[in-house]
Amino acid sequence: MLLPRNKFYTLTIITMEEWRSVPWYEGIYEVSSLWRVKSLARVVKSWMYGNQPKKERILKQQVVKWHCGVYLYKDRKGWRVMVHRLMAMAFLWCSGKFDGKTLVCHKNDIGTDNRLENLYVGTYETNNRDTGRNWHGVDNSNENHWMCKLTNQQVKEIRKLIDDWVSQ
């Protein structure tokens, strides 16, 4: 059996893409298990043009601060929402209340990798622990830091010169 040439259709058949409604945007937007976000077909009220029909379409994602985001609109107001948060609310049964302590974390620390098996809901502490584990023990302190201009020996010499100058 030959598969059709349409890439999205082929991708949907092979991976069995699952769409779920986005919390707070039910009937307006859906997110898929392949981290795509689509706007559903609907009629939008416009103050200038009256009622306008909108077609169903896949939204373009923008990378902002190393994470994929989309703009969602409701009641004439728009918000930029990160796709990994939408995935967590729709598929990980997260409450959606992201207070200052709750995060959606990436297991491999790649912000654009929004696969379900790569996401988990955690805290700042668990995210920092996970980040330290994924850096594989790389020491970025002192002269090992990528922006370092001086060696540790040069810093000690400069401090000694400053102490001698202050004590005179």
Side-chain angles (χ1 to χ4, degrees):
M1 177 179 145
L2 294 175
L3 293 175
R5 289 188 176 257
N6 187 336
K7 292 179 184 177
F8 292 114
Y9 186 67
T10 305
L11 186 67
T12 305
I13 289 174
I14 293 172
T15 59
M16 298 306 292
E17 186 173 23
E18 180 185 353
W19 290 93
R20 291 196 185 172
S21 180
V22 175
W24 300 315
Y25 296 96
E26 288 88 359
I28 304 173
Y29 297 102
E30 286 184 350
V31 64
S32 80
S33 57
L34 298 178
W35 68 83
R36 297 193 303 164
V37 182
K38 74 176 175 180
S39 172
L40 299 175
R42 63 188 188 278
V43 176
V44 177
K45 292 182 182 178
S46 171
W47 63 274
M48 190 170 191
Y49 301 109
N51 294 338
Q52 288 186 317
K54 296 283 185 179
K55 294 180 182 177
E56 182 176 295
R57 69 181 185 97
I58 303 294
L59 301 180
K60 292 182 182 177
Q61 297 184 14
Q62 299 139 356
V63 178
V64 180
K65 296 183 180 179
W66 302 284
H67 290 87
C68 296
V70 292
Y71 281 94
L72 302 182
Y73 294 89
K74 183 177 182 180
D75 300 330
R76 297 184 188 161
K77 294 180 184 176
W79 292 273
R80 185 179 66 211
V81 184
M82 298 298 150
V83 175
H84 63 278
R85 288 192 170 200
L86 295 176
M87 297 281 293
M89 288 189 290
F91 290 97
L92 300 178
W93 296 282
C94 181
S95 65
K97 295 183 179 180
F98 293 102
D99 54 359
K101 300 175 184 176
T102 306
L103 297 174
V104 179
C105 307
H106 299 265
K107 292 178 185 174
N108 63 359
D109 294 333
I110 299 173
T112 54
D113 185 5
N114 292 321
R115 292 174 295 133
L116 282 176
E117 57 267 13
N118 187 43
L119 298 177
Y120 69 95
V121 178
T123 62
Y124 282 103
E125 182 181 350
T126 59
N127 193 31
N128 288 336
R129 192 177 323 123
D130 189 43
T131 302
R133 182 180 50 124
N134 289 337
W135 280 98
H136 308 293
V138 175
D139 180 23
N140 283 328
S141 61
N142 299 329
E143 62 188 51
N144 295 328
H145 194 271
W146 66 276
M147 286 188 65
C148 180
K149 306 283 191 257
L150 302 172
T151 64
N152 290 339
Q153 184 62 35
Q154 290 171 332
V155 171
K156 287 178 184 177
E157 290 175 9
I158 291 171
R159 287 181 179 165
K160 185 176 185 276
L161 289 172
I162 291 174
D163 287 342
D164 291 344
W165 181 73
V166 170
S167 63
Q168 288 179 356

